[in-house]
Amino acid sequence: MNGRPTPFDELDRKIVAALMANARTSFAEIGAEVGLSSTAVKRRVDRLRETGVITGFTATVRPSALGWRTEAYVEVYCEGAAPPRRLAEVVRGYPEITAAMTVTGGADALLHVRARDVEHFEEVLERIRAEPFIRKTISVMVLSHLIQDSPEAGAGLLAPEDAADVR
């Protein structure tokens, strides 16, 4: 061993796991679970935030309650070699795109899209296709989530035009 402190140890892993399971868990509850005082847990959480291990705290919400009733994944194929930086600039302009990544395989990127309904999705898809460097797209609509508690099953933004449906 080199004597330097480990930046992310087993206690940190347990604290992060507890926060991922329920970000509203108190430092005292986490401390009791991992064998630390609430003050020690807070110091560790502060350090994990400062070093970028913990990037934020969120609430996971049923997308339909926020107006998002349609969901799809869109493969994007570009003309030539579109740099990831250019793709990132474009997708940031679409509130309907909840995740975007470059991928291996035939497609250049994969987009996770939420929309109010199929008509809204079609309009978003047409805007994406109108980007000058997009050659084609292939879409796959989501029918149901098999793992309900996954981050992809929740939503982070309200759908435009106050289209909330709280069924």
Side-chain angles (χ1 to χ4, degrees), residues 27-42:
F27 293 150
E29 291 170 308
I30 294 171
E33 188 177 318
V34 302
L36 293 174
S37 69
S38 59
T39 305
V41 171
K42 182 192 181 317

Side-chain angles (χ1 to χ4, degrees), residues 73-104:
Y73 286 89
V74 179
E75 290 182 350
V76 175
Y77 297 79
C78 300
E79 291 291 345
R85 188 178 22 223
R86 177 66 181 119
L87 285 166
E89 288 171 11
V90 168
V91 299
R92 280 191 196 101
Y94 292 83
E96 299 89 352
I97 298 175
T98 62
M101 58 284 302
T102 56
V103 294
T104 62

Side-chain angles (χ1 to χ4, degrees), residues 2 6 11 23-24 39-40 51 57 66 71 76 86 89 92 96 100 104 108 110 119 124 126 131 136 149 153:
N2 59 15
T6 306
L11 285 173
R24 295 186 62 162
T39 305
T51 59
F57 300 90
L66 301 177
E71 178 179 11
V76 175
R86 177 66 181 119
E89 288 171 11
R92 280 191 196 101
E96 299 89 352
T104 62
D108 294 294
L110 181 66
E119 291 78 16
V124 171
E126 289 304 316
E131 296 292 341
K136 76 173 184 173
D149 293 335

Side-chain angles (χ1 to χ4, degrees), residues 33-165:
E33 188 177 318
V34 302
L36 293 174
S37 69
S38 59
T39 305
V41 171
K42 182 192 181 317
R43 275 196 307 267
R44 282 177 176 260
V45 169
D46 288 346
R47 179 179 45 80
L48 292 167
R49 291 184 72 196
E50 288 168 12
T51 59
V53 172
I54 295 175
T55 58
F57 300 90
T58 63
T60 304
V61 179
R62 188 172 28 89
S64 63
L66 301 177
W68 302 115
R69 291 180 206 88
T70 300
E71 178 179 11
Y73 286 89
V74 179
E75 290 182 350
V76 175
Y77 297 79
C78 300
E79 291 291 345
R85 188 178 22 223
R86 177 66 181 119
L87 285 166
E89 288 171 11
V90 168
V91 299
R92 280 191 196 101
Y94 292 83
E96 299 89 352
I97 298 175
T98 62
M101 58 284 302
T102 56
V103 294
T104 62
D108 294 294
L110 181 66
L111 311 178
H112 182 210
V113 178
R114 291 195 187 274
R116 290 184 312 272
D117 50 35
V118 173
E119 291 78 16
H120 181 210
F121 172 73
E122 185 175 23
E123 182 265 319
V124 171
L125 192 57
E126 289 304 316
R127 284 189 289 141
I128 292 168
R129 288 178 177 160
E131 296 292 341
F133 60 88
I134 303 296
R135 182 170 47 89
K136 76 173 184 173
T137 62
I138 297 177
S139 303
V140 178
M141 301 293 284
V142 174
L143 299 177
S144 63
H145 283 267
L146 301 177
I147 302 174
Q148 293 301 321
D149 293 335
S150 68
E152 292 79 15
L157 296 172
L158 289 169
E161 298 180 24
D162 300 323
D165 175 14

Side-chain angles (χ1 to χ4, degrees), residues 18-26 57-58:
L19 290 170
M20 288 174 63
N22 181 359
R24 295 186 62 162
T25 304
S26 72
F57 300 90
T58 63

